[in-house]
Amino acid sequence: MSQAAPSSSPQPDDRRDLEHGEHDEVERGFVGQDRVPRRLTWRKLLTIPAFVVVAVGVTLLWLSSQTLDSIARNSLSGVIVREALWQQIKLVAISTFFVLIIAIPLGIALTRSGLRRASPFFMALANIGQATPALGLLALLVIWLGIGVRAPLIGIIIYAVLPVLSNTIAGLRAIDPTLVDAARGIGMSHHGVLTRVELPLAVPLILAGVRTALVLNVGTATLATFGGGGGLGDLIASGITNQRMPVLVLGSVLTVALALIVDWLAMLAEVVLRPRGLEV
Amino acid sequence: MNFWEYLGNRHQQLLADAYQHASAVFQCMVVATLLGVLIGVLTYRTEWAGNLAITSTATILTIPSLALIGLLVPVVGLGVAPTVIALTLYGLLPVVRNAVVGLRGVDPSLVEAARGIGMSRIKRLFRVELPLAWPPILTGIRVSTQMLMGIAAIAAFASGPGLGNQIFRGISSLGSKNALNEVVSGTLGIVILALLFDAAYVLIGRLTIPRGIRA
């Protein structure tokens, strides 16, 4: 299989805009490198969870000191808050699942020799897609598909497919071609090269894409409220429209806490799942 | 009313919204660039400070924009203030990160040579290091701007300015005839603005990246 030299391919420049600030690492072939500690120390491991616990604790204390009127009390009843949190987690989990089963196989397919020529087209599409505001995409889907969970869910998925796709493609492209040639040379099949050489080497980049997708999804899922999809955005939106600061603050703090915890879990996954042979 | 009639009827409102959107993003981006490069310059030489700048900005980047705006509203109220603060803060992140990485990536022998010909610390920074680190910083600015375009739309929910109002108008009048027109015009307007800004950055890159390091 012919491997284009990285300098002759037009890709690096197109790819650049896709990752949120990860482009320079793509060029070095290590996405998320400086966000993934080489060795986990207790301090690195515990900072984020400790911060989250303190932030949520302080917020709850502050809430208990506030006198709430009936509107705020209704929005803050335990059942409603738990339901919103649970909806948010469900939105993130389901959307991330679909993002992975769409983007990773598509990324693999677009780096195979047969489809490789189609990948600039997908990259251009992804670039334009990235310029589309998440809110606008969501609103269009809601008008098209009606209010409910379906439209926001599809919007979240579309929005996160792009970074995972581009990371998968970048990860597979960044593999040293001599390794692939060597694997072919010792008689491995195309399938064997893919599953035993290319994919394991691309794991760090794919995982970084997954992490980006998870974080994006927590964010986009807060917008689901504007399409009737529920989630923590409900608390934030009703806090702003009804001018009830306790509702707004609790909704925002829980959203931030969820985003930080999800990112932290993804970071752990990156450390644990990274192939041992790639460690520096 | 079809889309073209709608555009014809509302073009004044749309242009005003588009102008406010672009100007909010542009002004916040200017502040974010200055602050971001300053933070980068102050921290890149120290291992821990630079890493702290990158990790903390990356952590803030994980915070959903609606939640950050939600935390700002109780403090600064609705309207322009939370929009500007949120936009500047998010715009800062890719710039800081790319400034630190870019400045650290400058070949030390070049800085050494500049020192050898008698350049002062300030001169080395402005004549050698920053010009060499400019391409990654400019990329950071591009990434930031594109992100801010979308975040500015969300900020309209907290009574911020811009085309997001158009989208929210559509959302709140779902089922009415104009809902689709409003959402499409707002969304399309933002896409067009994002592409125009991107084209401007390509041009700025052509004009400002030193000839010696152009790809």
Side-chain angles (χ1 to χ4, degrees), chain B residues 8-55:
Chain B
N9 265 341
R10 306 284 171 89
H11 68 274
Q12 241 158 358
Q13 168 81 47
L14 284 171
L15 284 177
D17 275 343
Y19 172 74
Q20 285 188 337
H21 202 94
S23 103
V25 169
F26 176 74
Q27 291 178 35
C28 293
M29 212 48 240
V30 170
V31 178
T33 304
L34 293 176
L35 271 178
V37 173
L38 183 70
I39 295 176
V41 165
L42 291 177
T43 57
Y44 80 102
R45 295 175 142 250
T46 334
E47 176 80 20
W48 67 267
N51 290 349
L52 182 71
I54 291 179
T55 344

Side-chain angles (χ1 to χ4, degrees), chain A residues 16-17 19-25 28 34-35 48 127-128 130-133 135-137 139-140 142-143 147 215 218-219 222-223 225-226 233 236-237 240-241 243 245 248-249 252-253 255-256 259-260 263, chain B residues 54-55 58-59 61-64 66-71 73-74 78 94 97-98 101 136 139-140 142-143 146-147 149-150 153-154 157-158 164 167-168 170-171 174 179-180 183-184 187 190-191 194-195 198:
Chain A
R16 201 169 276 181
D17 301 336
E19 290 81 14
H20 289 242
E22 314 230 303
H23 51 278
D24 43 71
E25 289 156 338
R28 297 204 305 266
D34 40 47
R35 296 189 61 201
I48 291 292
N127 265 337
I128 296 174
Q130 206 71 8
T132 314
L135 182 67
L137 179 66
L140 286 175
V142 170
I143 290 178
I147 282 187
V215 172
V218 178
T222 55
L223 303 180
T225 178
F226 302 124
I236 302 178
I240 289 182
T241 19
Q243 288 291 304
M245 293 311 146
L248 177 56
V249 170
S252 306
V253 169
T255 310
V256 173
L260 291 178
D263 185 51
Chain B
I54 291 179
T55 344
T59 308
L61 197 57
T62 62
I63 296 176
L66 190 62
L68 183 68
I69 293 167
L71 287 176
V73 168
L78 292 169
R97 171 205 176 75
N98 283 20
V101 173
T139 310
R142 276 176 76 172
V143 172
Q146 208 168 55
M147 194 170 66
M149 283 287 165
I154 295 168
F157 192 67
I167 300 178
F168 278 115
I171 290 177
L174 277 183
L180 184 61
V183 171
V184 169
T187 308
I190 294 175
V191 173
L195 296 178
D198 220 46

Side-chain angles (χ1 to χ4, degrees), chain A residues 25 45 61 179 218 228 241 273:
Chain A
E25 289 156 338
L45 199 60
L61 270 180
L179 293 177
V218 178
T241 19
L273 296 177

Side-chain angles (χ1 to χ4, degrees), chain A residues 43-55:
Chain A
R43 207 181 56 167
K44 279 176 186 155
L45 199 60
L46 292 178
T47 318
I48 291 292
F51 175 79
V52 166
V53 168
V54 170

Side-chain angles (χ1 to χ4, degrees), chain A residues 97-185:
Chain A
F97 172 76
F98 279 105
V99 168
L100 297 185
I101 62 168
I102 294 169
I104 294 180
L106 191 59
I108 293 173
L110 287 175
T111 51
R112 299 306 96 191
S113 40
L115 279 173
R116 190 171 300 162
R117 265 182 295 156
S119 80
F121 168 73
F122 272 85
M123 285 309 200
L125 196 73
N127 265 337
I128 296 174
Q130 206 71 8
T132 314
L135 182 67
L137 179 66
L138 221 73
L140 286 175
L141 284 167
V142 170
I143 290 178
W144 185 34
L145 299 169
I147 282 187
V149 178
R150 202 161 53 129
L153 202 56
I154 294 176
I156 301 169
I157 294 169
I158 296 176
Y159 206 61
V161 158
L162 307 176
V164 180
L165 178 66
S166 61
N167 257 20
T168 309
I169 293 178
L172 290 170
R173 283 239 178 87
I175 293 171
D176 187 349
T178 57
L179 293 177
V180 176
D181 284 345
R184 300 281 302 146

